[in-house]
Amino acid sequence: MLVWTSPARFVVSFRPRRGEADPERFGRFAESTARFLGTATFIAWMTVFVTVWIGWNMPYGPDRPRWDDYPFIFLTLILSLQASYAAPLILLAQNRQEARDRVTQEQDRATAAQTTADMEFLAREVASLRLGIGEVATRDFIRGELRNLLADLEERHDSDEAEKD
């Protein structure tokens, strides 16, 4: 909605004016209603309501004012009206949940693709490190070389002493 603030500026406002419907608020209402309609509490309260209605309007018992005689046409009308409002609310809630699930699925796909790319990069790095380590002198190699040098030095030392004698 555009709001006039000055002769040269319009401001975009995301808050609806009074009297305008807020689709998010109605969507949240639909979701909470659908959530409640799917509970055991709703079924229990509906069962109590229908039982009391039928019990009060049965032609048996003490004389009292009855507003819906035996075929219970008014009760049928009320239950049909409730169902006619519940079905679209449930569908709206399912559509909103489907949209949220779609966004979550797209985010999961993007995360999985990034994770795969990261793992491939790390696998290449580990492979290059293995190749690099193959050319690096190990501790055992250095010890062996030092032993060989020490042996050569001892031989030279021994040969130098033998020449002096």
Side-chain angles (χ1 to χ4, degrees):
M1 153 178 43
L2 293 176
V3 178
W4 181 264
T5 58
S6 71
R9 250 175 62 166
F10 283 101
V11 175
V12 176
S13 172
F14 294 104
R15 182 177 287 171
R17 289 189 203 167
R18 274 185 180 250
E20 289 184 20
D22 181 10
E24 280 301 309
R25 181 180 293 171
F26 187 73
R28 287 189 303 271
F29 167 75
E31 288 174 346
S32 64
T33 301
R35 213 172 295 124
F36 175 68
L37 290 175
T39 63
T41 304
F42 172 76
I43 293 171
W45 281 110
M46 186 59 84
T47 303
V48 168
F49 173 76
V50 170
T51 304
V52 168
W53 184 288
I54 291 173
W56 184 268
N57 289 300
M58 288 298 282
Y60 311 113
D63 191 26
R64 60 184 173 268
R66 293 177 177 86
W67 58 85
D68 193 18
D69 289 327
Y70 168 61
F72 306 117
I73 294 171
F74 189 49
L75 176 63
T76 305
L77 175 68
I78 289 174
L79 293 176
S80 297
L81 184 65
Q82 182 267 332
S84 70
Y85 275 96
L89 289 175
I90 291 169
L91 289 174
L92 176 63
Q94 287 176 342
N95 289 342
R96 287 172 53 90
Q97 184 61 44
E98 180 185 351
R100 280 193 300 270
D101 290 345
R102 193 175 322 119
V103 168
T104 303
Q105 207 172 32
E106 289 171 6
Q107 290 172 345
D108 289 347
R109 268 193 217 112
T111 303
Q114 182 63 42
T115 302
T116 302
D118 291 345
M119 285 191 303
E120 289 173 356
F121 172 76
L122 289 174
R124 286 191 302 270
E125 289 296 314
V126 167
S128 67
L129 286 174
R130 283 183 179 170
L131 289 173
I133 287 176
E135 297 171 3
V136 172
T138 63
R139 184 174 46 190
D140 294 334
F141 174 76
I142 292 174
R143 283 182 183 163
E145 290 296 313
L146 289 174
R147 282 188 194 118
N148 290 340
L149 285 174
L150 184 61
D152 288 346
L153 287 175
E154 287 177 353
E155 284 178 17
R156 283 184 190 172
H157 185 274
D158 289 342
S159 66
D160 286 345
E161 284 184 7
E163 286 179 7
K164 287 182 184 176
D165 287 335

